[in-house]
Amino acid sequence: MAVAIIRILNNSLTMKFIIGDVLIIIFILFITRLPQSFSTTEAIQPSLTRLDSKRSSPSVQESAAKAVLGRFLPTHLHSFHFKIVSKDVCGGQGCFLIENYDGPTENGPEILIKGTTAVEIASGLHWYIKYFCGAHVSWDKTGGVQLASVPKPGSLSLVKDSGVLIQRPVPWNYYQNVVTSSYSYVWWDWERWEKEIDWMALQGINLPLAFSGQEAIWQKVFMGFNISMEDLNDFFGGPAFLAWARMGNLHTWGGPLSKNWLKQQLVLQKKILSRMLELGMTPVLPSFSGNVPAALKTIFPTANITRLGDWNTVDSDPRWCCTYLLNPSDPLFVEIGEAFIKMQIKEYGDVTDIYNCDTFNENSPPTNDTTYISSLGAAVYKAMSNGDKDAVWLMQGWLFYSDSTFWKPPQMKALLHSVPVGKMIVLDLFADVKPIWATSSQFYGTPYVWCLLHNFGGNIEMYGTLDAISSGPVDARISKNSTMVGVGMCMEGIEQNPVVYEFMSEMAFRKEKVPVLEWLKTYTHRRYGKSVQQIKEAWAILYHTVYNCTDGIADHNIDFIVKFPDWDPSINFGSRPSKLNSMHTFRSRTRSRRFSFQERSSDLPQAHLWYSTHEVVNALKLFLAAGNDLAGSLTYRYDLVDLTRQV
């Protein structure tokens, strides 16, 4: 380009055009260097179009949605008619439409629900039974469903003549954390998974993580690299610890995995994927992050393999800790990563283009050199794209929060810009408390998903940030140069705090902030099946206390009730002198000796209390006062026990 400009300058016949030509060149250079945030939707549109083309046929999706209705509300199987429509009907977006059925309704359909996918249809069904029938859905362990308020077939409430149209403000609604599989799912069979996928569909989730069965795929891949089953027994963690074995935090612990386990999980994964596809979901599959068996270092002695340090594992014992990481810059990394993607496609078919990889999750690169970091990111993506030319890298953004001292703006940009625009999506994992999008110029132009983390360690403490859920996704989406392409729930463990998850799921279909207190009034009516004044007052208290944590502390639940009986304070504090504020003595069931639980102002871990305990006690009193009206409600009884334990 510089040579061309010089030749122009030396040619007097073209001097009159020089200003225009140079301005055009400068304009082109300027445009090519503009941040990509202005074209985020356009950047991911090719992926959206390809993923739409992978979906099951309309008839398959309609049947799948009908089957959800049959399992969820079998008494009304013939009361609804479902129909898949194109995005053109919805202005190019995902949406659902609820209308009165135009036709004979005697013993037949009363309500017509249209949607761009079966997930949208199921979401429309959920919206209808919530806001027109006063019904409620939650996990079985959190009280289950409240369907008593749904009118009998033939008596369903009509909608306005124009019907109800609800559009998604952003394309995706993501679900799961890479550790949820160990905190909550590990022992599930197909019956339980089927219920969960139905729940996902009703909540509008269209981008779920699908991590089951991957050890069976890894077995096939690694054996192709001359790794024996004995070597893999030393590599895989046990069933309940697979999440941390997959992330390279530990190995062997809780294992080995039996042949029967590997086979069963692969069969289960195929059922999970099949149902997700029938419903029009886009599953997110795993990819290679560099975690390898120790034996690979012997088989490939020149490979760039590093032994990692201890990650909070059992006594730093090398039998379980200090795993091996293959550097993405090594050619073997791309070879293994490509083989893994291709093996998944061989086993499952061409079911997705989106793959999760968290190579640097709580594991920093060896140097902060941006050129090096960029090359690592490019290698990770190359391993995916060699296996699937349309691959999109989905990455948890947790590292930008947990290791913020390393991931400064230059390092973040180097990683985020190491792949083509539109080929990486970041999960802003902790956006409900510590949003990264707001401090990183929208992830420097990279598409991202606004996520609720909410739960650490699968704890069951009552906790939430309802105001942040109401405003956070909306503020992010309408912000200047927004690159937000979805909302998501990335809790570490499920089946707790149902109010948080119902509210967050709704935000996938909300374009404006929701008045939380008003929403809670309708929520409690739906959840318990009737309106009770004491319950309204109790939830108004809970909203301003338990569910209004604004101190910014990552809530890992260190309350004493979950510390016993295995916490021995004598080990923690010994005989160090300290002012004694209070003392309670307990008898250990596992030891014959007595020990004292001493609350010390300086040493003892303090419970995370961000609210007035006096007010929450009053909320419990109100709950108890409502007992005569709600004693038969399973959802009320769950919440009563939950609140009693919290108090």
Side-chain angles (χ1 to χ4, degrees), residues 513-528:
K513 298 176 184 180
V514 179
V516 180
L517 191 57
E518 292 304 309
W519 185 88
L520 281 172
K521 290 177 182 177
T522 63
Y523 169 82
T524 56
H525 192 165
R526 296 193 307 268
R527 181 157 170 80
Y528 310 127

Side-chain angles (χ1 to χ4, degrees), residues 90-102:
C90 307
Q93 299 171 286
C95 81
F96 60 80
L97 302 93
I98 306 172
E99 302 172 355
N100 300 319
Y101 185 75
D102 186 14

Side-chain angles (χ1 to χ4, degrees), residues 26-82:
I26 292 173
F27 178 74
I28 292 171
L29 291 173
F30 174 73
I31 288 294
T32 58
R33 283 159 174 75
L34 276 176
Q36 296 301 314
S37 59
F38 73 94
S39 60
T40 301
T41 304
E42 290 85 350
I44 65 168
Q45 190 57 52
S47 293
L48 291 172
T49 301
R50 278 193 306 274
L51 292 168
D52 284 344
S53 71
K54 295 177 186 285
R55 297 197 199 286
S56 301
S57 67
S59 61
V60 168
Q61 292 191 63
E62 288 164 2
S63 296
K66 197 77 172 178
V68 172
L69 172 61
R71 290 185 291 272
F72 167 60
L73 194 60
T75 54
H76 291 67
L77 186 59
H78 302 294
S79 300
F80 296 89
H81 184 72
F82 297 151

Side-chain angles (χ1 to χ4, degrees), residues 192-204:
R192 179 62 186 86
W193 262 110
E194 185 174 53
K195 283 188 175 183
E196 190 70 10
I197 297 172
D198 285 353
W199 181 89
M200 291 183 204
L202 292 167
Q203 304 298 335

